């Protein structure tokens, strides 16, 4: 079951050949996807040989094959994790009943919406990142960018498969629209705001893969709990690929910290202006990028109080990440204490699940912060990086539009406006970061604002020619 069939036009492990109608529908969509990839995917590097991994099995052990591939030849396909025998619904009012292999009629539009919303983020991020290749700090980094891009393309395939296989004509229409909306497009933008933010520098890319791909991890984990079994299996395999994206973010920011500390040592100063003059990202500037991308990603969890997420949970459509870790899987009796601008408020736990998810996400985000701060501490500096308060800069929920500083304290509107450029990157901060973004493509060489990685990919040396440009 685990093996993936690569002899067909669309690689898959779902026996696509046995369902000719579905196969034909997906083969009809495939050239549209490839056209989208050429138009909206990485600009200018389609002829480069990239050292990419491709899934060959859905087993956690040895699931990927590595080799030089031109991106348009990447074998995008449909890979579902193996079914769990006799799996039952693990939460909500239908807990313990067998999972569904078909979409229950009453949940059809909700499930379609969940799948489309997830699916929309995948090509969106490829679009957001399409120009970054021109300013890559090294071939190692360039390869990682392209690896992420092709896998986000694969995640689009994962969602499109579900739409085609289980949602009939509506599903096919949605699949077409996933290629028609574009990140930042004024007429047809992507569904979620964060996925319309431009990513025009590599510091933003590292923050995006640290914070926003991690939101993806949490969304996929909660969908992997779903009672709709094909969705669960699809998301379980996507999580295997997703881990690398967050690795790029965590090690990327870690390498920026490392390089900045080296520069601070060389020049014997932590003065931000001097650090910048030596071509590195001063730590207060990095903090602003963390504030921006963390707060932007926190919005993706939605309203603190949500009857939709309550219904999705009660109906067994979308669980909590790692549902197993909890005692109570029904939540009809529990309350949640929510901090609002008007004070603490008790709300039914079922209605507060977005907030529950946001809290566990933030805990996961803390892990990298601790690691980077240890390095800063060991270098003898007092400054510490931190996550902004979840109340800061919210564009959704009870803290929407409130003047709150990154520490979570209410401030006057005037003070908020005046200080915002000290909390998130100002135009001149962004211009400085852009000035650092010089393309480095000599094997083994690296830009001056970021330290080299500790090791290469798949046991190859760091100086390996991970992208062969022609
Ligand atoms: Fe993804
Ligand atoms: Fe991702």
């Amino acid at each position: 079951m685990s093996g993936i069939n690569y002899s067909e036009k669309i690689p898959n492990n779902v026996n696509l050949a046995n369902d000719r109608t579905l196969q034909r529908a997906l083969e009809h969509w495939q050239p549209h996807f490839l056209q989208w990839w050429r138009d909206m995917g990485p600009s200018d590097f389609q002829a480069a040989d990239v050292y990419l991994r491709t899934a060959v099995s859905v087993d956690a052990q040895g699931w990927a094959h590595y080799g030089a591939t031109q991106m348009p030849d990447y074998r995008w396909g449909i890979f579902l994790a193996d079914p769990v025998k006799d799996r039952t619904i693990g939460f909500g009012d239908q807990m313990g009943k067998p999972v569904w292999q078909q979409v229950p009629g009453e949940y059809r539009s909700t499930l379609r919406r969940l799948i489309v919303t997830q699916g929309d983020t995948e090509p969106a991020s490829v679009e957001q990142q399409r120009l970054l290749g021109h300013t890559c700090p090294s071939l190692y980094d360039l390869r990682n960018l392209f690896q992420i891009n092709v896998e986000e393309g694969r995640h689009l395939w994962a969602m499109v498969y579900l739409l085609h296989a289980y949602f009939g004509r509506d599903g096919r229409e949605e699949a077409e629209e996933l290629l028609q909306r574009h990140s930042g497009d004024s007429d047809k933008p992507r569904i979620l705001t964060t996925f319309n933010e431009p990513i025009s520098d590599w510091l933003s890319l590292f923050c995006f893969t640290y914070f926003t791909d991690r939101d993806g991890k949490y969304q996929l984990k909660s969908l992997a709990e779903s009672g709709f079994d094909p969705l669960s299996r699809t998301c379980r395999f996507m999580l295997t690929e997703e881990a690398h994206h967050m690795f790029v973010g965590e090690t990327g920011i870690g390498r920026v910290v490392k390089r900045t500390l080296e520069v601070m040592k060389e020049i014997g100063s932590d003065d931000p202006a001097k650090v910048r003059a030596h071509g590195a990202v001063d730590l207060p500037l990095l903090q602003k990028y963390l504030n921006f991308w963390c707060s932007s990603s926190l919005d993706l969890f939605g309203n603190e109080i949500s009857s939709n997420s309550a219904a999705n949970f009660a109906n067994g459509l979308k669980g909590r990440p790692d549902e197993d870790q909890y005692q109570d899987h029904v939540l009809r009796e529990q309350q949640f204490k929510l901090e609002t601008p008007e004070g603490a408020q008790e709300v039914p736990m079922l209605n507060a699940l977005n907030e529950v998810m946001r809290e566990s996400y933030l805990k996961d985000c803390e892990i990298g912060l601790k690691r980077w701060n240890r390095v800063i501490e060991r270098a003898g500096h007092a400054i510490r990086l931190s996550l902004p308060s979840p109340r800061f800069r919210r564009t959704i929920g009870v803290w929407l539009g409130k003047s709150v500083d990154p520490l979570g304290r209410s401030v006057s509107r005037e003070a908020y406006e005046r200080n915002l450029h000290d909390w998130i990157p100002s135009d001149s901060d962004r211009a400085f970061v852009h000035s650092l973004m010089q393309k480095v493509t000599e094997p083994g060489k690296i830009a001056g604002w970021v330290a080299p990685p500790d090791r290469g990919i798949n046991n190859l040396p760091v100086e390996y020619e991970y992208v062969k440009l022609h």
Side-chain angles (χ1 to χ4, degrees):
M1 185 67 210
S2 299
I4 290 170
N5 186 347
Y6 273 97
S7 65
E8 292 177 41
K9 223 168 164 184
I10 301 172
N12 71 89
N13 70 347
V14 293
N15 258 325
L16 200 54
N18 280 4
D19 187 340
R20 294 304 302 277
T21 319
L22 176 60
Q23 187 179 32
R24 243 176 290 139
L26 284 163
E27 284 180 2
H28 177 75
W29 185 80
Q30 190 177 36
H32 302 185
F33 169 82
L34 288 170
Q35 188 59 46
W36 166 82
W37 179 268
R38 281 188 292 269
D39 293 345
M40 302 303 289
S43 134
D44 270 8
F45 292 90
Q46 305 294 342
D49 287 313
V50 187
Y51 187 73
L52 293 175
R53 72 175 185 192
T54 307
V56 286
S57 145
V58 293
D59 277 336
Q61 269 81 39
W63 63 276
H65 159 86
Y66 289 80
T69 309
Q70 297 187 350
M71 286 184 280
D73 298 334
Y74 189 77
R75 301 301 312 275
W76 286 284
I78 300 157
F79 316 131
L80 271 62
D82 288 338
V84 174
K85 200 172 171 286
D86 301 325
R87 182 169 172 253
T88 55
I89 300 173
F91 60 92
D93 297 338
Q94 307 187 65
M95 172 139 181
K97 292 191 182 154
V99 290
W100 314 299
Q101 298 305 331
Q102 290 297 328
V103 179
E106 65 270 44
Y107 306 139
R108 192 181 169 84
S109 64
T110 310
L111 275 169
R112 193 183 63 212
R113 190 77 205 148
L114 287 171
I115 292 166
V116 166
T117 307
Q118 178 63 40
D120 194 67
T121 66
E122 315 288 356
S125 67
V126 177
E127 294 166 355
Q128 286 171 291
Q129 298 163 17
R130 73 184 297 265
L131 296 175
L132 285 175
H134 297 286
T135 54
C136 64
S138 71
L139 288 180
Y140 165 91
D141 290 289
L142 187 62
R143 176 268 172 199
N144 282 345
L145 169 71
F146 294 156
Q147 182 69 58
I148 293 172
N149 292 161
V150 293
E151 284 175 353
E152 300 302 7
R154 226 256 343 130
H155 290 177
L156 172 60
W157 270 95
M159 294 296 119
V160 163
Y161 162 70
L162 294 176
L163 290 169
H164 272 240
Y166 298 97
F167 294 87
R169 194 174 154 178
D170 307 354
R172 291 193 294 277
E173 283 170 10
E174 294 281 15
E176 288 298 329
E177 281 176 43
L178 283 168
L179 298 175
Q180 282 157 14
R181 285 185 293 270
H182 297 310
S183 179
D185 190 309
S186 49
D187 291 333
K188 284 192 160 192
R190 290 296 175 182
I191 296 170
L192 302 166
T193 314
T194 314
F195 292 89
N196 288 301
E197 303 275 9
I199 302 180
S200 49
D201 64 75
W202 282 73
L203 190 56
S204 295
L205 176 74
F206 292 154
C207 291
F208 181 92
T209 45
Y210 188 78
F211 289 109
T212 314
D213 280 274
R214 191 176 310 275
D215 160 74
K217 167 183 165 182
Y218 274 74
Q219 301 300 337
L220 292 175
K221 270 176 171 283
S222 63
L223 294 172
E225 301 287 339
S226 181
F228 178 41
D229 203 42
L231 175 60
S232 162
R233 291 173 54 200
T234 304
C235 290
R236 267 190 283 140
F237 185 65
M238 288 164 78
L239 281 163
T240 315
E241 294 167 313
E242 201 61 51
H244 173 257
H245 310 178
M246 284 169 290
F247 164 86
V248 168
E250 178 169 345
T251 55
I253 296 173
R255 287 162 51 207
V256 172
V257 170
K258 186 175 174 195
R259 179 63 194 142
T260 301
L261 293 170
E262 284 168 8
V263 168
M264 284 158 70
K265 194 171 170 191
E266 270 164 45
I267 62 175
S269 168
D270 58 4
D271 177 359
K274 288 186 183 152
V275 172
R276 288 190 191 195
H278 282 78
V281 176
D282 55 291
L283 296 178
L285 177 56
L286 174 58
Q287 180 65 60
K288 290 187 192 185
Y289 272 74
L290 299 179
N291 288 347
F292 180 89
W293 285 104
C294 183
S295 55
S296 172
S297 303
L298 283 170
D299 274 344
L300 295 168
F301 290 91
N303 266 301
E304 289 86 354
I305 306 169
S306 164
S307 52
N308 280 344
S309 65
N312 289 345
F313 186 89
N315 294 331
L317 307 181
K318 185 177 177 184
R320 288 165 294 184
D322 305 306
E323 194 54 51
D324 271 356
Q325 65 174 314
Y326 299 98
Q327 297 279 312
D328 180 351
H329 300 288
V330 182
L331 301 179
R332 286 283 174 197
E333 314 291 330
Q334 286 199 54
Q335 299 287 307
F336 182 86
K337 199 171 137 208
L338 182 71
E339 298 290 338
T340 76
E342 289 75 41
Q345 200 182 316
E346 290 261 307
V347 293
M349 179 67 89
L350 262 185
N351 291 67
L353 290 178
N354 288 346
E355 195 56 20
V356 170
M357 238 168 110
R358 187 160 21 232
E359 283 179 356
S360 45
Y361 165 81
L362 279 168
K363 265 194 211 129
D364 204 43
C365 288
E366 286 286 357
I367 295 170
L369 271 290
K370 283 202 190 100
R371 202 162 291 164
W372 307 324
N373 280 333
R374 255 198 312 271
V375 177
I376 296 171
E377 189 181 357
R378 260 192 251 123
H381 297 280
I383 187 171
R384 297 289 177 267
L385 299 168
S386 58
L387 297 176
S389 159
R391 302 171 191 177
F392 173 63
R393 218 172 73 91
R394 297 300 303 281
T395 64
I396 194 169
V398 295
W399 295 94
L400 161 75
K402 300 285 175 202
S403 309
V404 175
D405 73 7
L407 295 176
R409 298 172 301 202
S410 287
V411 296
S412 71
R413 171 83 354 212
E414 192 266 326
Y416 181 84
E417 304 286 351
R418 183 161 32 86
N419 291 311
L420 192 59
H421 69 271
D422 288 330
W423 299 332
I424 60 171
S426 65
D427 290 346
S428 68
D429 291 329
R430 287 187 188 277
F432 168 70
V433 170
H434 284 177
S435 77
L436 296 178
M437 300 294 131
Q438 306 293 339
K439 182 174 176 178
V440 178
T441 54
E442 221 178 298
K445 290 267 155 33
I446 188 124
W449 58 271
V450 60
D454 289 338
R455 58 187 69 84
I457 292 147
N458 195 30
N459 297 320
L460 290 174
V462 172
E463 53 281 358
Y464 181 79
E465 194 175 357
Y466 290 103
V467 182
K468 293 194 172 74
L469 306 163
H470 298 294

